[in-house]
Amino acid sequence: MPTTEPSAPIDVPRGLKGVVVTETSIGDVRGAEGFYHYREYSAVELAGTRTFEDVWHLMFHGALPDAAELAAFRARTAELRHLPADVADALPAIARSTALSGPLAGLRTALSLAGASAGFRPVYDIDPERRRADALAACAAVPTLVTALHRLGQGLAPVEPRDDLPYAANYLYMLTGREPEAAQARAVESYLISTVDHGFNASTFTARVIASTGADLAACLVGALGALSGPLHGGAPSRALDTLDAIGTPDRIDDWLRERVLAGDRIMGFGHPVYTTEDPRSRMLKAIAREFGGDLVDFALQVEERAEAILAELKPGRDLHINVEFYAGVVMELCGLPREMFTPTFAAARMVGWSANVLEQAEDSKIIRPLARYVGPPPARPVPAA
């Protein structure tokens, strides 16, 4: 019987930088242009003109909804915000167990439980409509889960979702217990839309690797959450604000920044692995921050100006500009979100992008299985006697 020789190993750049691993119709990032899109639309334009539900529909169904489709989609997703009793009853124990780690860690456990409670089955074993239904349920439940975990961690009772509020306004309502001002809800909605998807970043790639094994949707999303929890991925918005706090006053900006850059420290909120120009999300969020105004915004603008100048001086040729995290932290702070909820808020939006990628990956039954080059001691050595 003929045998098939395995393909010869192919060396690729460390971290798979620049390597194309699949095809997608969901969106793309064009870093040299400072542009990214969801399907055929500019993501930043969508963030400035459409609702979160519009974009959610676009990511799941491939097209923006008309008025009737949007109304039906809103009604369906609002219905799915409500948690089943067995999941809701488990949240206090999860919040207690993750008190030292925070709501993002709790969300990993709660989302896994929600998927198991709903009977999510491996994507390999179900049809596209059932996969989409599971994804819709997971994305709708996450804001309820994460805001409840946060409030329980603060000694407060969870706030039940409201079906009459749009996604972003309901999110803020469940977080604070108060219906948000229109400007705050719209600012957070624009942020959420802008972070739904962003190419094959670490968490999206993780979700697709897990989906390629045929695992259930909750497993894919929990794995993506784990990747997002790393400070080099989704954990930077609060750290960018921590930088502003550490600098403290305008007269300390230059000395503080120079000391950190010369020490080789990373300045959180600056630089991006894809963009060689300014992050388009940062431009949008900077404009939103300017609309709010105030001392925090003025200080952030000063830090941005001096940081870019100092980085250009001390790291010439690197083109280090602000990224999405810098003004994301400012905007969320101005809208009343506590810092420990910055990354969970990012995760709530990214659930939609992860799910769209899982749905797309599930259409391809080929498992993602790369190689590693062994560099340990030469084999095979005799096993020594015990």
Side-chain angles (χ1 to χ4, degrees), residues 222 246 356:
V222 170

Side-chain angles (χ1 to χ4, degrees), residues 15-29 197-209 233 273-274 350 353-354 357-358 360-361 368:
L16 300 181
K17 185 175 178 63
V19 175
V20 174
V21 296
T22 193
E23 295 180 343
T24 182
S25 62
I26 293 170
D28 193 23
V29 181
D197 188 63
H198 202 249
F200 261 45
N201 54 76
S203 55
T204 298
F205 185 50
T206 299
R208 291 191 73 127
V209 169
H233 188 9
V274 176
R350 191 55 65 86
W354 290 334
N357 274 276
V358 170
E360 186 176 68
Q361 185 66 44
I368 297 173

